[in-house]
Amino acid sequence: MSERVTAGVVLIGDELLSGRTRDINLQQIAQFLAPLGIPVVECRTVSDEEDRIVEAVNALRHRCTYVFTTGGIGPTHDDITADSVAKAFGVNIGERADAMAILDEWYSKTDTPLTESRRRMARIPDGATLVANPVTGAPGFQLENVFVMAGVPKIARGMLEDIAPRLTRGAVTHAVTVSAGGLREGDIADALRTLQADHSGVSLGSYPFFVEQPGGSIKRGTNLVARSTDAGELETVAQALEALVRQAGGIPARISE
């Protein structure tokens, strides 16, 4: 069996930790990578501090096949991600001619001055390759297994298109959800634990839900989710989940994903 391909994500920005900005980059990165067979196995959110960024990047790049960072590559004083990644790898950083050419062409289209602040976006660590930015022009970059992207979700999503051809595909994880309306997690916890022990190749999770109904009543239940790269074993477990829901007095409903 080939080695598992995994991804780590580092979300960078004081605005994320303060709650001023709600992150959606983790979700869109995970959703983009899933069909490629690359699950996100760890995510860290760090402040705009060099030491924090260096620590997070170094930790994840040694544990994951790929690392994706978002945020901190713009023109302002707190955009320090490029410098931090260079420090993490122990390489120099400086203004790159190819990155400058991209910025010059982009800003010339709108007669926007290429100020010293904007030139900072052409500073790229030694040895890195550029990642195209189809939204605002300013490139991200790849240094070994680390991809550095913008924090604005639309820009990050555009950069992923340029990154995708560079990635080694893994085994795609499939998922099945069996909804157990009316059952609490405690009603099926023991049976679920036994099923998990019998099928180590399948990841099982239970997620309670509460839905307000007309008139104010609450519909409650538990969604049982099975995930695996083995479609055959996944179907076996899905049928077992349906059976254990029936045995607990519920009516199972399989939800397509």
Side-chain angles (χ1 to χ4, degrees):
M1 180 180 295
S2 59
E3 185 177 351
R4 188 185 186 207
V5 183
T6 62
V9 177
V10 181
L11 307 172
I12 301 166
D14 293 342
E15 71 278 8
L16 299 175
L17 292 169
S18 70
R20 290 178 59 87
T21 300
R22 183 174 64 178
D23 172 70
I24 64 171
N25 279 322
L26 173 60
Q27 181 183 42
Q28 72 172 358
I29 291 170
Q31 290 177 342
F32 185 88
L33 296 177
L36 306 181
I38 307 174
V40 173
V41 296
E42 186 171 350
C43 176
R44 295 191 181 191
T45 304
V46 298
S47 61
D48 294 308
E49 297 179 64
E50 184 178 81
D51 289 346
R52 300 287 188 182
I53 299 169
V54 170
E55 179 186 18
V57 168
N58 276 336
L60 294 190
R61 73 185 179 97
H62 292 303
R63 286 206 292 270
C64 303
T65 312
Y66 301 111
V67 176
F68 299 82
T69 79
T70 68
I73 60 171
T76 60
H77 71 282
D78 57 346
D79 288 312
I80 61 171
T81 298
D83 293 88
S84 301
V85 171
K87 184 174 181 179
F89 280 89
V91 300
N92 293 324
I93 183 172
E95 188 177 287
R96 270 253 299 261
D98 52 355
M100 269 300 303
I102 293 171
L103 293 177
D104 186 53
E105 179 182 5
W106 190 271
Y107 285 113
S108 66
K109 292 177 182 178
T110 56
D111 293 323
T112 301
L114 189 52
T115 62
E116 284 301 312
S117 292
R118 292 190 174 108
R119 291 177 70 102
R120 292 186 72 246
M121 295 187 289
R123 298 177 68 254
I124 305 294
D126 290 353
T129 56
L130 300 183
V131 171
N133 171 1
V135 180
T136 63
F141 61 85
Q142 175 189 356
L143 190 54
E144 295 186 14
N145 65 332
V146 176
F147 296 93
V148 176
M149 305 186 300
V152 177
K154 183 176 181 180
I155 302 175
R157 180 61 181 79
M159 289 180 168
L160 286 171
E161 294 296 335
D162 187 43
I163 291 171
R166 313 182 193 190
L167 304 176
T168 298
R169 272 51 169 175
V172 177
T173 298
H174 304 281
V176 172
T177 298
V178 175
S179 183
L183 295 183
R184 304 167 187 253
E185 285 189 295
D187 298 330
I188 52 180
D190 291 340
L192 194 63
R193 185 179 299 108
T194 299
L195 184 62
Q196 179 67 91
D198 292 340
H199 296 275
S200 60
V202 178
S203 172
L204 291 175
S206 64
Y207 307 94
F209 62 83
F210 307 88
V211 181
E212 186 173 352
Q213 303 296 299
S217 63
I218 301 294
K219 177 183 177 181
R220 64 189 307 158
T222 303
N223 285 329
L224 306 175
V225 181
R227 298 182 178 89
S228 179
T229 57
D230 186 327
E233 186 175 12
L234 182 64
E235 177 59 28
T236 297
V237 169
Q239 293 179 19
L241 287 173
E242 292 170 333
L244 72 83
V245 170
R246 294 190 190 94
Q247 290 168 4
I251 300 175
R254 192 180 297 203
I255 302 173
S256 299
E257 296 196 13

